[in-house]
């Protein structure tokens, strides 16, 4: 694979990561109050979080298959965390968005690292078995 191809795939991965944030979480605007109990939940529903995690796992696996996991994990982590933090900072009056951003950063870094390394390992095993 040429350097230009790797660069384009890396850029596509970053764009797809930000796109995953936007598609699953970026349009959410607020919290939900249960009228019977008064319990507040949100801003994201469970299905949104599951959807974005599965999408990011798929992107990390594809990225780890074709690119170095040491490129995939930081690129996806920075892209997703920046998108999440920019939105959270613009809608939060308490300053707690920064705590959330650290948690998103750590979780995204851990998840993308594990998944992209597993994909790279699977690719190597596949190459050895066929060759």
């Amino acid at each position: 694979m040429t350097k230009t191809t790797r660069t384009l795939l890396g850029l596509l991965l970053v764009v797809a990561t930000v796109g995953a944030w936007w598609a699953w979480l970026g349009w959410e605007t607020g919290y939900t109050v249960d009228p019977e109990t008064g319990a507040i939940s949100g801003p994201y529903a469970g299905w949104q979080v599951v959807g974005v995690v599965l999408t990011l796992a798929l992107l990390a696996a594809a990225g780890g298959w074709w690119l170095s996991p040491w490129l995939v994990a930081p690129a996806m982590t920075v892209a997703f965390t920046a998108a999440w933090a920019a939105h959270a900072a613009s809608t939060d009056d308490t300053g707690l968005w920064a705590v959330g951003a650290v948690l998103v950063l750590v979780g995204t870094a851990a998840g993308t690292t594990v998944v992209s390394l597993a994909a790279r390992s699977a690719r190597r095993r596949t190459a050895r078995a066929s060759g």
Side-chain angles (χ1 to χ4, degrees):
M1 183 179 316
T2 68
K3 184 176 180 176
T4 302
T5 303
R6 279 192 305 274
T7 301
L8 290 174
L9 285 175
L11 288 173
L12 179 62
L13 183 65
V14 167
V15 169
T17 299
V18 172
W21 169 83
W22 184 83
W24 289 104
L25 307 177
W27 50 270
E28 188 61 64
T29 58
Y31 292 84
T32 305
V33 178
D34 184 326
E36 290 184 21
T37 64
I40 300 171
S41 63
Y44 310 119
W47 62 268
Q48 288 174 285
V49 175
V50 169
V52 77
V53 167
L54 291 175
T55 303
L56 292 176
L58 227 122
L59 289 172
W65 187 271
W66 294 108
L67 301 166
S68 167
W70 308 117
L71 167 73
V72 171
M76 288 184 68
T77 299
V78 169
F80 191 81
T81 303
W84 186 91
H87 178 71
S90 71
T91 59
D92 179 37
D93 298 330
T94 66
L96 289 175
W97 69 268
V99 175
V102 170
L103 295 173
V104 167
L105 177 90
V106 170
T108 306
T112 55
T113 299
V114 167
V115 171
S116 62
L117 283 170
R120 174 53 56 103
S121 177
R123 181 175 182 183
R124 287 184 177 156
R125 279 193 310 270
T126 302
R128 276 190 296 240
S130 65

